[in-house]
Amino acid sequence: MSRLTGDKQHYLGVGILGLALMVALLVGVYQMARDHYIDELEEKGRASATLYREILRGWLGRYMALAPIYAHNPEVVRLLRWPDDGVRVDLVNQRLEEWNSASGAADTYILDAEGNTIAASNWAEPYSFVGQNYGYRPYFTDAMQGRLGRYFALGTRSGKRGYYFSFPVRDGRRVTGTVVVKVPVDGIEQELRASPYEVLVSDAAGVIVLAGHPDWRIHNIQQLSDAAVARIAEQRQFGDGDLALVPIDGLDASRATNLVHAVPDRSGAARAEFLHIAEPMTVEEWRLHLMLPTRPARAQALTMVLLVGAVVLLLVLGTVIVWQRRRRLVERLAERERAEARLEQAVTERTADLRQTQAELVQAGKLAALGQMSAALSHEFNQPLAAIRSYAENAGAFLERGRQDRAAENLSRISRLTERMAKLSKHLTTFSRKPKDTLGPVSLDLTLEETLSLLAGRIDRAGVMIERQVPEGLFVRGGQTRLQHVLMNIIGNAIDACGEQDAPCITIHAEAVGSEVVITIQDNGPGIAQGLMDKLFDPFFTTKAAGHGLGLGLSISYNIVRDFGGSISVANGPVTDGGAGARFTVRLQRAVSAVEAAE
């Protein structure tokens, strides 16, 4: 009895120890799996952050050139020269209203050297800026010092948030005033809100200036310093109200990644955990914040724990079964040996007549011994479950809640983001793959004519003069569409390069030299630094500002010309009063037209 009780206690102790070890194992597996899937989530978030950063830069890039363009308009220059001329004021007001409507900007206005508004696109509105002084705004100070001003603030008249671009107006060498363009934020915030993640942007002081979540806009991500509070009040950046902390628990602005808790921007959504990722936007001195739900990662980790637990349980059960069978076999053998011993003793004590029977029984007992052993169990571990896509998780969650409209909206937005990325993929594929279309004679002057027609809008806006020195009847070997693509890239770059010159000019020259046709495209811009010449045709290399190109145009053009059997090179032209200028030289094989070939 005591032995039986001792065995039970022994088995109970072994069971408790085994259970503790299994719990510890599963906890360790969960932590490792959770860290693994959180790392995968962070990697996905970094890629998404890069995408959203480019979206934001592209949004700003659509408006960044407006103020410099308006500042060079002769009517604007003359208005600042004679600001009291009522006729000029009326004319410029109407121009600003037209330009503002065409560009989609929120407001466009002109400040004199003292910061007073002398003309505005909203001149006829009740909240007109005309007569208001904005000399306290940093964008005015920056422009008056001769550089492009950039600033985010709440409008003092309209009460609406916006991003301001400003640019100096020069009359000769003297800065006489400033052109300001206010960029609306509603459209970009709608796009941020369509994201499956929570996306927000904070400025250098830590104030949230853009956010998909409406309740988080114009909140602090951290406690503001006294200097920052004083500066914001002095510049009237966000009105007269106090800035409250954003309701996100655990948000650490000093860290690039950490776990936070908040109520997401969803109807009836409960408080949830997010992986917070922050990346800088250096040009704007902003910081992009992305918050990815961790629920899918934790669900994947739990699935891994259940899988490992099931495998361990099967192994334990298999081990117990084998141990029990072995134990029963040993007990049976021991019992048989004891029975044989008792039987042998009984036979010995009986009469000699039973000795033969005793021997037969002993022999039978020996022959009856079992010699079979149990077989072993073997199991294979399955590969961890594939990562569940965050977009599909969100759509599934909406379907579970009966929100088919939001699920469809989520899937539609996934498709749009996929199309944007597919465009870049198509560029890369075109760059790397050798074209399969046939080559033939292409009219150079006709192709150039179509190219300049496509670029006519940009040429007119930049005020560029095009000098064509291309004789008629020149044919080259190639493909018309791809040759047009090459010409558009080079001429488009030349427009950008010389756009800020006083008299921007692009010269296009072509002539037949032996079996080749040499095409030269030269602008009167600042030229290209010698250290950049060797990199100009590399993929993704660009000298343009952020949001103005991917750096693939010249690389693709280089390969197109090579496919035609030609070559392309770049150099700086002779130094003139307007600058050295960049000169691109394209050499293509000369061809004859189909009519000439038939003759």
Side-chain angles (χ1 to χ4, degrees):
M1 183 71 176
S2 61
R3 180 182 177 184
L4 188 59
T5 303
D7 289 344
K8 287 184 178 180
Q9 292 178 346
H10 173 72
Y11 293 143
L12 180 60
V14 172
I16 293 175
L17 178 60
L19 181 61
L21 291 174
M22 184 171 181
V23 170
L25 171 65
L26 295 182
V27 169
V29 169
Y30 176 78
Q31 292 175 345
M32 292 176 60
R34 179 200 60 194
D35 293 344
H36 170 73
Y37 289 119
I38 290 293
D39 288 343
E40 283 191 348
L41 188 63
E42 180 181 353
E43 184 178 353
K44 183 188 299 183
R46 293 292 178 193
S48 298
T50 300
L51 174 63
Y52 285 111
R53 187 168 55 198
E54 293 305 317
I55 290 174
L56 288 167
R57 287 176 177 171
W59 163 65
L60 291 174
R62 291 198 300 268
Y63 299 94
M64 185 168 60
L66 295 180
I69 292 174
Y70 300 159
H72 288 88
N73 186 275
E75 294 176 357
V76 173
V77 176
R78 285 192 289 269
L79 173 63
L80 285 167
R81 189 181 300 166
W82 297 291
D84 297 328
D85 188 337
V87 175
R88 293 187 187 278
V89 171
D90 292 340
L91 175 63
V92 174
N93 277 333
Q94 294 175 5
R95 287 285 186 272
L96 294 179
E97 186 176 10
E98 293 171 359
W99 296 344
N100 196 74
S101 175
S103 67
D107 298 295
T108 304
Y109 49 104
I110 299 173
L111 309 179
D112 64 14
E114 303 300 325
N116 297 310
T117 307
I118 60 175
S121 61
N122 59 8
W123 61 277
E125 301 295 334
Y127 61 91
S128 171
F129 296 168
V130 176
Q132 300 295 316
N133 184 281
Y134 296 103
Y136 56 87
R137 291 292 201 186
Y139 60 72
F140 170 75
T141 305
D142 290 342
M144 290 303 295
Q145 292 176 356
R147 58 180 179 269
L148 177 69
R150 310 166 73 104
Y151 188 65
F152 187 96
L154 193 69
T156 56
R157 296 283 292 172
S158 65
K160 296 181 179 180
R161 292 169 299 125
Y163 193 89
Y164 296 81
F165 285 109
S166 63
F167 200 79
V169 179
R170 289 184 171 88
D171 192 348
R173 295 182 177 274
R174 186 170 60 94
V175 176
T176 58
T178 301
V179 174
V180 184
V181 176
K182 181 179 180 181
V183 180
V185 301
D186 294 342
I188 189 63
E189 285 188 328
Q190 288 177 2
E191 189 163 356
L192 296 182
R193 196 174 188 188
S195 167
Y197 313 128
E198 301 294 344
V199 185
L200 54 143
V201 178
S202 63
D203 64 9
V207 179
I208 298 175
V209 294
L210 297 174
H213 198 313
D215 297 339
W216 295 352
R217 297 165 186 168
I218 313 300
H219 281 68
N220 301 335
I221 62 173
Q222 61 189 6
Q223 194 65 38
L224 297 183
S225 65
D226 293 340
V229 172
R231 178 182 55 77
I232 291 172
E234 179 184 358
Q235 298 172 0
R236 306 180 201 174
Q237 187 174 7
F238 300 114
D240 299 328
D242 294 332
L243 299 176
L245 286 173
V246 67
I248 302 175
D249 295 337
L251 183 61
D252 189 349
S254 64
R255 298 178 58 185
T257 304
N258 69 306
L259 295 176
V260 299
H261 294 82
V263 177
D265 181 21
R266 299 289 184 271
S267 177
R271 196 171 189 80
E273 182 185 67
F274 297 86
L275 175 65
H276 165 244
I277 295 175
E279 289 199 351
M281 296 180 64
T282 54
V283 176
E284 297 80 13
E285 294 185 355
W286 283 355
R287 196 167 178 84
L288 173 67
H289 303 264
L290 206 64
M291 291 170 52
L292 294 79
T294 60
R295 180 182 175 185
R298 292 190 178 275
Q300 289 175 302
L302 182 59
T303 302
M304 177 63 68
V305 169
L306 294 177
L307 177 63
V308 173
V311 172
V312 171
L313 183 60
L314 289 176
L315 289 174
V316 170
L317 290 176
T319 302
V320 170
I321 292 173
V322 171
W323 177 76
Q324 288 180 342
R325 288 184 177 180
R326 181 177 179 84
R327 184 183 176 193
R328 285 197 296 268
L329 178 60
V330 171
E331 289 178 351
R332 287 176 184 176
L333 291 175
E335 183 62 29
R336 286 174 185 270
E337 289 179 357
R338 289 192 294 270
E340 289 176 358
R342 289 194 299 270
L343 180 59
E344 186 176 354
Q345 181 65 28
V347 171
T348 302
E349 293 176 353
R350 294 180 182 201
T351 62
D353 296 338
L354 299 177
R355 288 178 183 175
Q356 183 64 34
T357 304
Q358 178 188 19
E360 292 176 357
L361 289 175
V362 172
Q363 183 65 25
K366 292 179 180 180
L367 293 176
L370 296 175
Q372 212 171 23
M373 301 297 293
S374 62
L377 280 173
S378 62
H379 297 276
E380 293 181 354
F381 286 95
N382 292 325
Q383 295 292 330
L385 296 175
I388 302 173
R389 300 295 182 190
S390 295
Y391 290 133
E393 279 287 330
N394 289 340
F398 284 130
L399 290 174
E400 290 177 1
R401 299 173 188 169
R403 297 299 305 273
Q404 288 84 356
D405 56 337
R406 294 304 299 274
E409 181 183 354
N410 220 323
L411 294 173
S412 176
R413 284 160 181 160
I414 292 173
S415 176
R416 288 203 302 271
L417 289 176
T418 305
E419 289 176 1
R420 292 181 183 179
M421 298 175 70
K423 290 180 180 179
L424 177 59
S425 175
K426 182 178 179 181
H427 278 301
L428 296 173
T429 303
T430 304
F431 167 68
S432 60
R433 182 183 301 164
K434 186 176 180 63
K436 297 181 180 180
D437 56 342
T438 58
L439 303 181
V442 177
S443 172
L444 181 58
D445 51 348
L446 177 61
T447 305
L448 179 60
E449 183 67 31
E450 293 180 356
T451 302
L452 293 177
S453 296
L454 292 174
L455 293 171
R458 289 181 60 188
I459 294 172
D460 292 341
R461 287 193 299 272
V464 177
M465 182 177 69
I466 304 296
E467 293 184 3
R468 293 177 55 179
Q469 302 172 5
V470 180
E472 296 181 358
L474 275 183
F475 283 80
V476 296
R477 182 175 179 271
Q480 182 173 2
T481 301
R482 290 194 293 164
L483 179 57
Q484 183 175 322
H485 181 78
V486 173
L487 295 175
M488 286 190 69
N489 271 319
I490 299 176
I491 298 174
N493 287 341
I495 293 172
D496 293 339
C498 67
E500 295 187 3
Q501 299 296 320
D502 292 336
C505 178
I506 298 174
T507 302
I508 305 173
H509 176 81
E511 63 177 340
V513 180
S515 61
E516 293 182 331
V517 172
V518 180
I519 307 167
T520 303
I521 301 173
Q522 180 168 345
D523 59 68
N524 66 340
I528 302 171
Q530 290 298 326
L532 303 180
M533 289 287 188
D534 295 338
K535 303 178 181 178
L536 209 57
F537 297 103
D538 291 346
F540 299 105
F541 176 79
T542 178
T543 59
K544 296 181 180 179
H548 284 264
L550 295 175
L552 290 175
L554 290 179
S555 177
I556 294 173
S557 300
Y558 179 87
N559 284 273
I560 290 176
V561 173
R562 188 176 61 179
D563 289 338
F564 292 167
S567 64
I568 182 172
S569 60
V570 63
N572 285 328
V575 177
T576 63
D577 294 339
R583 175 166 47 190
F584 284 82
T585 302
V586 179
R587 295 179 178 271
L588 297 173
Q589 296 181 18
R590 187 179 181 183
V592 296
S593 66
V595 175
E596 292 176 335
E599 294 175 354

